Amino acid sequence: MATNKLFVDMEAGTKMQSPEKETRPELSTMSVQSVPTFPLRSIDEKAIPLIGFGTAEDPFGASRDTLKETIIEAIKLGYRHFDTAAVYQSEQPLGEAISDALRLGLIKSRDELFITSKLWCSDAHRDLVLPALHKTLKNLKLEYVDLYLIHWPLSLKPGKHDFPFKKEDMVPMDMKSVWEAMEECHDIGLTKSIGVSNFSCKKLETLLSSARIPPAVNQVEMSPMWQQKKLRKFCEEKGIVVEAYSPLGAKGTVWGTNQVMECDVLKEIAQAKGKSVAQVCLRWAYEQGVCVIVKSFNKERMKQNLDIFGWRLSDDELLKISQLPQCKGYPALEFVSDDGPFKSLQELWDGEI
């Protein structure tokens, strides 16, 4: 993965350096509405827009009846990267929105979009991966997705796509065989790139030790209050792009926290900038060189979440953010059980929380 210690602000045409001199991606030509893209490690090097529109909500499927129109509005605003998953109950509305966007001329081709979906744990078995992706593609009305991720590093007994799930249904994942099935999905063109979500450095090492095709992406929780410095450094060294979910803390969800949006340091920076706390958080993540998945179904906030270009955080502001106390917002206790594959948070996250 090509990197450069200098971060290029594409709008201003200037270069700046972070206080920690972190390596950041070299960004390609700006896409629609000035959202930068970065090429993934895949056979066709399809570029991933560095701001994605998330479709996970609590509870899953709560806005199913209105989600199609929300996504169409997002396309009108300039979003081109959409993140879904089998368990989110948002694949069908997304597929309908894509069809309508093409019919209305909002986009000329499906290729203008970058679509990510995820393999749910109950399908994380060697012989169920391909059928699961076929079902996802049917829901989306697409011939391929741009990125397909293993949602969590464990399996559930086959059958239901439920969350929360019964803890007695958790079983260890045969990572090698599941990844081989993911590689086959890539080989036959059903997904342009493959990756993982919620994987620690140790679990990535295990996967990389046998993978024929390395994961292009690791989607994980990341925000100013959970900066993932160790994991980001590891992924950078291995050529894996980090995608940040819950970059604003996912306030109001069972997996969310208020600590990001209510952080006094972030509020002070936002006030000084004349920006919202959300914009400061998203700009900070962008300046770390990661892809950000942001979710809001409010039109004005959807628009604001794209307005993070053409300005930048100062070295002093970046330093203040780098010194914030760290606390993971979503420890994922649902995935821990005395009788399951992970008997403690230490085992689930390998000591990285």
Side-chain angles (χ1 to χ4, degrees), residues 132 149 271:
L149 306 177
Q271 185 174 10

Side-chain angles (χ1 to χ4, degrees), residues 43 119 126 129-130 133 148-150 175-195 206-216:
I43 191 167
L119 176 78
R126 177 70 176 85
V129 176
L130 184 57
L133 181 50
Y148 197 47
L149 306 177
I150 295 177
M175 192 180 298
K176 186 175 185 295
S177 69
V178 171
W179 189 251
E180 286 173 351
M182 295 285 286
E183 291 172 328
E184 289 177 12
C185 291
H186 174 271
D187 291 342
I188 61 178
L190 298 182
T191 179
K192 299 295 184 181
S193 296
I194 51 178
T206 301
L207 177 58
L208 288 167
S209 68
S210 62
R212 174 171 56 86
I213 302 174

Side-chain angles (χ1 to χ4, degrees), residues 193-213:
S193 296
I194 51 178
V196 296
S197 182
N198 300 299
F199 271 51
S200 65
C201 295
K202 183 177 180 180
K203 290 178 176 60
L204 285 171
E205 283 277 25
T206 301
L207 177 58
L208 288 167
S209 68
S210 62
R212 174 171 56 86
I213 302 174

Side-chain angles (χ1 to χ4, degrees), residues 13 18-19 22 36 41 62 94 110 113 117 133 135 189-190 193 195 207 216 316 320 333-334 343 349:
S18 72
E22 291 182 293
R41 178 172 54 191
L94 175 55
R110 175 264 179 268
L113 301 179
S117 194
L133 181 50
K135 184 177 180 180
L190 298 182
S193 296
L207 177 58
D316 182 59
K320 287 180 180 178
L333 285 167
E334 297 92 335
K343 295 174 173 53
W349 300 111

Side-chain angles (χ1 to χ4, degrees), residues 267-284:
K267 286 181 178 179
E268 290 170 5
I269 294 172
Q271 185 174 10
K273 288 288 192 206
K275 301 293 182 180
S276 68
V277 172
Q279 287 172 320
V280 168
C281 291
L282 297 176
R283 179 69 196 189
W284 169 81

Side-chain angles (χ1 to χ4, degrees), residues 308-328:
I308 65 168
F309 309 111
W311 59 279
R312 64 188 188 188
L313 297 168
S314 69
D315 285 354
D316 182 59
E317 289 163 342
L318 288 167
L319 181 60
K320 287 180 180 178
I321 294 174
S322 74
Q323 295 172 338
L324 288 172
Q326 297 294 287
C327 180
K328 184 170 176 56

